[in-house]
Amino acid sequence: MELVQVLAMTKIKYSILALLIASYSAHPIAEACKDTADGHAASQELFWKRLEEIRSGRKYPDDVPRGTFEQHHKMEGYDTTFNYLVDVPVEYDPEKKMDLHVYLHGGVNYSTVRLYPKQIRRLKRLTIEDAISIYPSAWTSAKWWYESQSKNIVEIIKIIKKRYNVDDNRVFLHGLSDGAGGVYYFASHRPTPFAGFIALIGSPQVLRPKHNVFGKTFPGNFINKPIFAVNAKDDEFFPAKSVERLFATLNDNGADITFHTVTGNHFGMPWLVKEKQAYEGFVARHTRNPYPDSLYWQIDEGGEFGRIHWLILNGTKGAVTESAVVATKTGNAVHLSSKNVASATLLISSDHFDLSQNVRVWSNEKLVFDQRITPDVRVLDKWFEADGDRSMLFAYELCLDAL
């Protein structure tokens, strides 16, 4: 996406893309990040061997559960046990990659930590066939837009990937009602693992500070991933007219949002048969590109959600509360247009860049890096451990200071 396209989006009331309209003075120093700056020669020898090991994939066992079963896990820093249902097709073959779909239920204002049978029945009606399905649980103290869930969903995906042969580029997030609010939350805060988002009878307007949302929500970030959205005309909570202008504006400026307005209210789903065919088609058409050549990313001063794919924003400058970057890659060249970003990190992949040639980086139209880089096995292992993703592997961390 061109910078001028993003600047045209300043009329979106939810966003502060106007941050990018400014004169630029400070220019960054680019170098290897400190924790991987030394020992490149030794680690380079191991890099290509380790890369091939990861690409070839782990050996997945055949004696794993199939059908529908309940799982749970705990995360460091939380006393809560996070429960979720898993549905694995009986014909699952560990030698073949399978799509993964995560379904977020509505009605999060309950105290129970398990899904109600009614919630399960409604979600099952949405299920995409011939795929592994996950049904996590949210409740009043762990809503989809809380800090705990921002980690829980990603952790569950990683757990499933370790046991089952999942196609990393075919992971989709679905949500119904409050669950759709959760879908918009991840589209704005943590979109990297997903190929696309399906949001049914929900709204990004749920993601307001009064609802104790963890991290500011910037709908401008929706432009990075495809979204399929359905809203009902007579919905008493999230009527179609409440979101159609936002979606139209985003689409006018490079987003890929398929928006359908249906008849009915919030609680009935007479539209489901027809719309399920539509979003099944949406799913069939979209496969994640693990290394997008164009990224737009906006964060708040907390910096908890600084990363999208190969771009990491490391907080905001000084007392400012929001910052943004447009990143575009052509060949081995990266162009960054930024405002109020304290520093940034670029994750360089041998699948995305030609490591036999110089990597060049321009920041706000000034060349700040022009060198060949040396792949580092420590970077490869660090991000493979963090992501659990065989399709998105990195060789080098390039740190940019004082953007």
Side-chain angles (χ1 to χ4, degrees):
M1 172 172 289
E2 298 296 329
L3 178 58
V4 67
Q5 290 178 286
V6 176
L7 294 180
M9 297 172 66
T10 54
K11 58 187 175 181
I12 300 174
K13 66 179 180 179
Y14 304 95
S15 182
I16 53 125
L17 301 180
L19 281 172
L20 295 179
I21 305 177
S23 60
Y24 305 101
S25 55
H27 293 286
I29 298 172
E31 59 185 0
C33 299
K34 290 182 173 58
D35 61 345
T36 55
D38 301 320
H40 279 186
S43 66
Q44 181 183 9
E45 295 178 7
L46 300 173
F47 174 84
W48 297 107
K49 179 180 179 181
R50 176 68 175 136
L51 182 65
E52 183 56 34
E53 289 175 354
I54 295 173
R55 281 176 171 166
S56 62
R58 61 173 61 92
K59 197 71 175 176
Y60 290 92
D62 187 54
D63 59 342
V64 291
R66 292 169 173 82
T68 302
F69 53 94
E70 186 173 356
Q71 294 284 91
H72 64 269
H73 73 110
K74 298 194 75 168
M75 297 188 297
E76 184 177 353
Y78 298 93
D79 295 329
T80 303
T81 296
F82 293 87
N83 299 286
Y84 56 100
L85 289 181
V86 183
D87 195 342
V88 179
V90 293
E91 63 272 19
Y92 166 74
D93 182 350
E95 297 297 321
K96 298 179 181 178
K97 292 182 179 180
M98 184 163 272
D99 293 2
L100 177 62
H101 294 266
V102 182
Y103 299 88
L104 307 184
H105 64 78
V108 297
N109 290 312
Y110 295 98
S111 59
T112 181
V113 299
R114 282 184 166 86
L115 282 82
Y116 285 104
K118 181 178 179 180
Q119 293 171 322
I120 297 171
R121 288 195 299 270
R122 293 193 86 193
L123 290 176
K124 288 277 190 176
R125 295 177 64 190
L126 310 178
T127 301
I128 302 287
E129 301 297 327
D130 301 319
I132 297 173
S133 302
I134 301 173
Y135 306 92
S137 179
W139 57 98
T140 187
S141 60
K143 298 177 182 178
W144 299 125
W145 42 87
Y146 284 11
E147 180 180 13
S148 59
Q149 294 287 5
S150 74
K151 300 174 181 178
N152 176 45
I153 301 305
V154 175
E155 188 61 29
I156 290 174
I157 292 171
K158 288 172 62 178
I159 290 170
I160 296 299
K161 284 183 177 182
K162 287 180 180 179
R163 300 185 69 187
Y164 296 91
N165 192 0
V166 170
D167 188 336
D168 294 304
N169 295 322
R170 298 280 302 162
V171 179
F172 293 85
L173 186 64
H174 308 242
L176 181 67
S177 187
D178 283 341
V183 165
Y184 291 121
Y185 180 80
F186 278 86
S188 175
H189 295 81
R190 298 196 75 169
T192 300
F194 301 103
F197 298 94
I198 297 91
L200 306 178
I201 56 172
S203 172
Q205 294 181 6
V206 167
L207 306 176
R208 294 173 174 173
K210 70 177 184 178
H211 294 140
N212 299 315
V213 178
F214 182 62
K216 281 185 182 176
T217 299
F218 300 106
N221 289 346
F222 294 168
I223 68 175
N224 296 289
K225 298 279 179 162
I227 297 173
F228 183 96
V230 173
N231 285 84
K233 290 181 181 178
D234 300 320
D235 189 323
E236 52 268 53
F237 299 108
F238 312 119
K241 65 181 180 182
S242 69
V243 294
E244 58 188 5
R245 179 179 294 182
L246 170 64
F247 293 163
T249 302
L250 287 165
N251 279 337
D252 286 345
N253 292 278
D256 181 5
I257 301 175
T258 302
F259 178 52
H260 290 184
T261 298
V262 297
T263 58
N265 59 28
H266 188 76
F267 296 102
M269 294 196 296
W271 44 266
L272 182 58
V273 173
K274 179 180 178 181
E275 293 305 321
K276 188 175 181 183
Q277 293 177 344
Y279 72 71
E280 285 176 339
F282 170 88
V283 166
R285 292 192 302 272
H286 290 96
T287 296
R288 184 190 68 162
N289 176 4
Y291 310 108
D293 285 339
S294 298
L295 295 169
Y296 170 77
W297 201 235
Q298 189 171 358
I299 63 169
D300 63 19
E301 71 276 17
E304 293 89 355
F305 301 102
R307 181 188 174 198
I308 178 169
H309 287 271
W310 50 270
L311 173 67
I312 305 173
L313 308 187
N314 302 313
T316 61
K317 284 183 179 178
V320 298
T321 60
E322 296 156 337
S323 59
V325 168
V326 177
T328 57
K329 173 193 172 290
T330 305
N332 260 30
V334 176
H335 291 263
L336 304 174
S337 299
S338 66
K339 182 60 178 175
N340 291 339
V341 178
S343 63
T345 302
L346 304 185
L347 302 177
I348 307 298
S349 172
S350 59
D351 296 323
H352 198 205
F353 291 82
D354 181 356
L355 301 190
S356 69
Q357 304 295 323
N358 282 15
V359 173
R360 296 182 175 183
V361 181
W362 279 263
S363 177
N364 300 324
E365 301 184 355
K366 181 176 180 179
L367 183 65
V368 297
F369 186 83
D370 187 2
Q371 297 178 31
R372 286 181 61 180
I373 64 112
T374 305
D376 190 331
V377 72
R378 294 169 299 172
V379 173
L380 175 63
D381 284 338
K382 171 183 174 180
W383 289 103
F384 181 59
E385 174 65 24
D387 296 335
D389 194 322
R390 292 172 291 166
S391 298
M392 187 173 63
L393 301 168
F394 299 104
Y396 188 85
E397 293 178 339
L398 178 60
C399 285
L400 302 167
D401 293 329
L403 267 71

